[in-house]
């Protein structure tokens, strides 16, 4: 069974992979971002964190968001 929390933008599905995934739907305000060129709005975006530990996965996610200026306050 998949573990999903839309607020933290991380997913774990141990049947498919032991690693946490950065997982979110592409928001309309980011449709012109270089990561999403050629993708439809509101489609899922997934990227592996390469981490099995939740705390380590959140650090990877936060670094990814900072590098690409996503979901920053």
């Amino acid at each position: 069974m998949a573990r999903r929390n839309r607020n933290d933008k991380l997913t774990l599905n141990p049947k498919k992979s032991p690693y946490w995934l950065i997982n979110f739907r592409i928001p309309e305000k980011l449709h012109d971002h270089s990561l999403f060129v050629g993708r439809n709005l509101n489609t899922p975006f997934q990227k592996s964190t390469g981490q099995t530990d939740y705390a380590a996965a959140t650090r990877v996610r936060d670094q990814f968001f900072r590098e690409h200026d996503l979901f920053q306050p």
Side-chain angles (χ1 to χ4, degrees):
M1 179 190 220
R3 185 266 185 211
R4 181 76 170 103
N5 179 342
R6 292 192 190 280
N7 294 328
D8 69 5
K9 298 180 177 38
L10 288 172
T11 300
L12 178 63
N13 190 341
K15 290 183 180 180
K16 292 185 178 182
S17 172
Y19 302 121
W20 285 93
L21 297 172
I22 299 170
N23 184 337
F24 58 90
R25 293 202 175 269
I26 301 169
E28 187 173 335
K29 66 182 180 178
L30 295 174
H31 75 280
D32 59 348
H33 193 282
S34 60
L35 281 176
F36 311 126
V37 171
R39 293 181 181 236
N40 293 329
L41 290 178
N42 209 24
T43 58
F45 175 85
Q46 288 188 339
K47 178 172 176 51
S48 176
T49 63
Q51 301 294 324
T52 56
D53 178 61
Y54 178 77
T58 59
R59 288 190 294 273
V60 170
R61 176 206 58 201
D62 293 345
Q63 181 62 31
F64 178 79
F65 287 169
R66 275 192 298 276
E67 286 175 5
H68 296 286
D69 195 28
L70 298 171
F71 305 109
Q72 299 298 312

